[in-house]
Amino acid sequence: MQTQRILVLDGHPAPASLSRSLAETYSGAARQAGHEVRLLHLSEMDFDLDFGRAGYRDVKPLEPALEGFMADLAWSGHVVVMAPLWWGGLPAKLKALFDRAFLPGTAFDPRRPNRLGVPAPLLTGRSARLVITSDTPGWWQRLVYRRAIAHQVTRQIFGFVGIRPTRHSWFAPASHAGAGVTGRWLSEMAALGRAAA
């Protein structure tokens, strides 16, 4: 098995969460399998959430936490993000991480658009996995909401900057899951971590 460099992001803004448990389980199993892992907890990252500009002129400098995230992303070959589904999307602080850090010249190049006018992606050569916890059942998410969060992250965020493919794991209902259910989810994360998938 080929060794991978994996960036794992616990994308829950709270210091204790199911997302954190999933991230730590994945990371531990990946390390035991010989992969190199860097684990970040969104709750420990301090940065201004507001992009606060009307365009990309005079962009505010990145805080150390965002610089560290981009350095870890540049180092990685595989990215794993664990996050809860809140109001149909990512938690505000996690979305702000992408708003602030994925900038022109670093994540994409608007000076080199393709035939459709889409800027050239600059973070190619990486795959990803999005792990979502939710109270919305998977079948409802597929049939009614059309997996909107998966499309947003896969196509409009990661796909835009060249991180692909992005695979998905969906754990629901999460708020009142018993120990047996969460145990199965943690086992699944451990297996994915060992496989660097």
Side-chain angles (χ1 to χ4, degrees), residues 62-82:
L62 296 184
E63 293 88 342
L66 296 179
E67 288 181 338
F69 167 72
M70 290 305 291
D72 289 341
L73 185 60
W75 163 87
S76 71
H78 185 58
V79 183
V80 183
V81 177
M82 282 75 171

Side-chain angles (χ1 to χ4, degrees), residues 8-44:
V8 178
L9 174 61
D10 159 24
H12 199 296
S17 67
L18 176 58
S19 295
R20 185 181 189 113
S21 297
L22 295 169
E24 290 176 347
T25 298
Y26 182 104
S27 299
R31 285 189 184 107
Q32 287 180 347
H35 303 292
E36 297 178 66
V37 179
R38 295 183 183 176
L39 172 60
L40 299 176
H41 297 289
L42 185 67
S43 63
E44 299 171 1

Side-chain angles (χ1 to χ4, degrees), residues 161-186:
V161 299
I163 301 172
R164 60 173 67 99
T166 297
R167 294 181 174 83
H168 308 97
S169 297
W170 189 273
F171 297 128
S175 289
H176 304 290
V181 173
T182 56
R184 288 196 300 274
W185 295 345
L186 292 169

Side-chain angles (χ1 to χ4, degrees), residues 20-121:
R20 185 181 189 113
S21 297
L22 295 169
E24 290 176 347
T25 298
Y26 182 104
S27 299
R31 285 189 184 107
Q32 287 180 347
H35 303 292
E36 297 178 66
V37 179
R38 295 183 183 176
L39 172 60
L40 299 176
H41 297 289
L42 185 67
S43 63
E44 299 171 1
M45 300 173 72
D46 184 27
F47 58 92
D48 184 353
L49 306 187
D50 187 5
F51 181 74
R53 299 291 188 271
Y56 288 112
R57 290 196 181 101
D58 189 30
V59 175
K60 68 179 73 173
L62 296 184
E63 293 88 342
L66 296 179
E67 288 181 338
F69 167 72
M70 290 305 291
D72 289 341
L73 185 60
W75 163 87
S76 71
H78 185 58
V79 183
V80 183
V81 177
M82 282 75 171
L85 178 73
W86 284 355
W87 292 108
L90 299 173
K93 188 174 181 180
L94 180 55
K95 177 62 166 53
L97 175 73
F98 300 129
D99 289 347
R100 290 288 318 283
F102 284 2
L103 298 173
T106 304
F108 61 94
D109 187 352
R111 298 167 303 176
R112 296 189 295 119
N114 64 17
R115 290 180 294 174
L116 299 175
V118 178

